[in-house]
Amino acid sequence: MKGGNYNRFRGRHLSVTLITLIFTTIILWVSEKNPSITTLLTGQDQFTWPSSEFFFEEITAEETEELVHKDLVCNYAKGQWVADSRRPLYSGFGCKQWLSEMWACRLTQRLDFSYEGYRWLPNNCEMPEFERSAFLRRMQDKTIAFIGDSLGRQQFQSLMCMATGGEMSPEVEDVGKEYGLVKARGAKRPDGWAFRFPNTNTTILYYWSSTLADLVPINSTDPRSNVAMHLDRPPAFMRKYLHRFDVLVLNTGHHWNRGKLTANRWVMYVNGKPNDDSKLVSMGGAKNFTAYSISKWLDSQLPYLPRLKAFFRTISPRHFRNGDWNTGGSCDNTTPLTEGREVLQDQSSDEVVEGAVKGTRIKLLDITAISDLRDEGHISHYSVRATGGINDCLHWCLPGIPDTWNELLAAQI
């Protein structure tokens, strides 16, 4: 009898142990396939193993913290600039097919190009080296769209140069007509560009929308008409073509000033009528309202567009010293990283965009703090022709800092 009881007890003990092992294995397998299941467990439960003689060692608190830090925490904007002799990613003398002459600093009177020899190294993120063929293969049958101001245009031109290696690429097709991106009569340039790489059917496009607000002439028959600037409505181009995009990068920031508002005859509208909300009278209030409104609208569309990855890029920093662009401000430094090489902060320096995308499906493309360390990379007073004039401490030399923005984008797609 004793032997029988003992055997039954041992059998029950082994059964419980076996069941525990099976249950634990299932939980671990499911959590790997569906990481969101771990959110159903408390922090303690996620990292506590069932008691059993079959587990040989216990994971310490320090090891757990290290695993969590390594696997779950990834802030691409936290890290440091490091020297890299393999830079730049394309020739500063080439890429004339895509790069605006005024931004190609190798073609200007500038003699120092040390700003080209650095890459960004995040602290806790995998960021593979950018390789154009591999990138285009990843983007096969996909469309990448940039919508924003002239800094968005710089990022677009940078990516075109990166994707072609800065080489003449006659096989790349101009498909702007597909998106209505054609130069209007009397216009200096079209509202944007779209190009397709036929080998991978990859399209890269840019649309100019400096505020991300919808702009509609109040009187369409009068070319001098004021323009309704709908703060709560995304651009018509974005609404029309959003379903064709696989990657979308938005940006805004530097056109939110009274000078631009007056020069463009923009009149703020909300709810389809002239704004009467005193909180939106200030440019800062209007910019914040628009960033939040557009993010909310875009987030509402993403469930219907499961393949679309949307990013809101933070503002590119200005580096005017001793004045602004029209009052003698300059940025003459040519020595890299004089203000430091490392970013340690967890939060973005662009609180508006960070707040606008918080709680949405839109990803933050945070470039502000890392670019703030690179004041030597601006156009400055250099120009293609030796003429004196205004310093450009807003736009960047290309190749240059916007290439890093695209490396961060490629790593997060």
Side-chain angles (χ1 to χ4, degrees), residues 9 12-13 44 48 72 132 171 216 248 316 365 401:
F9 171 78
R12 283 197 301 270
H13 177 69
Q44 181 179 357
T48 301
L72 302 182
R132 59 188 178 113
E171 76 282 1
V216 183
L248 172 63
S316 174
L365 183 56
I401 309 308

Side-chain angles (χ1 to χ4, degrees), residues 319-376:
H319 288 98
F320 289 97
R321 304 286 187 259
N322 303 314
D324 212 326
W325 68 272
N326 57 349
T327 59
S330 62
C331 46
D332 295 328
N333 176 44
T334 58
T335 304
L337 306 171
T338 55
E339 299 297 324
R341 67 174 60 243
E342 194 169 17
V343 174
L344 298 175
Q345 65 196 45
D346 292 312
Q347 303 302 313
S348 174
S349 294
D350 187 341
E351 297 178 356
V352 174
V353 172
E354 183 179 45
V357 303
K358 186 176 181 180
T360 72
R361 301 167 186 83
I362 304 168
K363 294 186 178 184
L364 187 72
L365 183 56
D366 191 2
I367 57 89
T368 305
I370 70 176
S371 304
D372 200 31
L373 296 174
R374 303 304 308 276
D375 65 310
E376 85 285 1

Side-chain angles (χ1 to χ4, degrees), residues 35-287:
S36 62
I37 196 171
T38 59
T39 61
L40 302 177
L41 304 175
T42 66
Q44 181 179 357
D45 290 336
Q46 289 181 36
F47 296 100
T48 301
W49 296 96
S51 176
S52 170
E53 66 263 345
F54 290 96
F55 292 105
F56 297 104
E57 61 180 337
E58 183 178 352
I59 297 179
T60 66
E62 290 78 14
E63 289 171 329
T64 298
E65 183 178 355
E66 182 179 349
L67 285 171
V68 172
H69 185 68
K70 179 180 179 181
D71 295 338
L72 302 182
V73 179
C74 181
N75 183 349
Y76 284 92
K78 193 174 180 179
Q80 61 183 314
W81 288 102
V82 296
D84 189 339
S85 60
R86 295 168 295 177
R87 301 296 160 124
L89 297 173
Y90 52 91
S91 169
F93 294 104
C95 206
K96 295 179 181 179
Q97 191 174 357
W98 321 110
L99 180 55
S100 294
E101 188 180 63
M102 61 184 174
W103 294 334
C105 287
R106 284 276 182 175
L107 304 180
T108 69
Q109 287 74 44
R110 183 164 184 163
L111 300 177
D112 182 271
F113 304 99
S114 56
Y115 63 87
E116 293 180 348
Y118 293 85
R119 66 182 173 90
W120 179 251
L121 182 64
N123 284 347
N124 300 300
C125 309
E126 292 291 333
M127 196 166 88
E129 289 288 321
F130 183 89
E131 201 284 311
R132 59 188 178 113
S133 298
F135 175 75
L136 288 172
R137 286 195 299 271
R138 285 174 54 204
M139 295 296 104
Q140 184 158 351
D141 301 322
K142 291 180 170 54
T143 296
I144 305 168
F146 296 92
I147 298 180
D149 58 22
S150 56
L151 277 304
R153 183 182 166 204
Q154 282 211 299
Q155 189 173 0
F156 158 74
Q157 291 191 5
S158 162
L159 187 59
M160 288 300 301
C161 290
M162 292 167 66
T164 60
E167 301 172 0
M168 288 297 295
S169 305
E171 76 282 1
V172 176
E173 303 169 1
D174 183 342
V175 294
K177 287 184 179 180
E178 289 186 19
Y179 298 89
L181 300 176
V182 294
K183 183 180 176 181
R185 179 176 297 178
K188 292 182 178 179
R189 61 176 70 95
D191 289 334
W193 296 265
F195 299 102
R196 182 166 297 141
F197 293 76
N199 289 341
T200 58
N201 193 35
T202 303
T203 302
I204 302 176
L205 69 83
Y206 163 77
Y207 178 76
W208 184 88
S209 178
S210 61
T211 63
L212 299 181
D214 195 25
L215 301 175
V216 183
I218 295 174
N219 183 354
S220 59
T221 63
D222 180 5
R224 299 297 300 172
S225 169
N226 286 340
V227 177
M229 179 183 182
H230 295 275
L231 304 182
D232 53 353
R233 201 163 76 192
F237 177 87
M238 184 170 161
R239 301 197 307 271
K240 182 176 181 179
Y241 294 108
L242 186 68
H243 69 284
R244 296 185 62 174
F245 303 155
D246 298 277
V247 178
L248 172 63
V249 184
L250 303 178
N251 91 282
T252 187
H254 293 294
H255 279 249
W256 290 93
N257 60 73
R258 288 292 169 188
K260 294 290 186 182
L261 199 75
T262 302
N264 291 301
R265 303 186 303 279
W266 291 338
V267 179
M268 295 183 189
Y269 270 56
V270 178
N271 294 323
K273 59 184 180 180
N275 171 54
D276 58 4
D277 187 342
S278 59
K279 296 179 181 178
L280 303 182
V281 171
S282 73
M283 297 305 295
K287 182 184 82 169

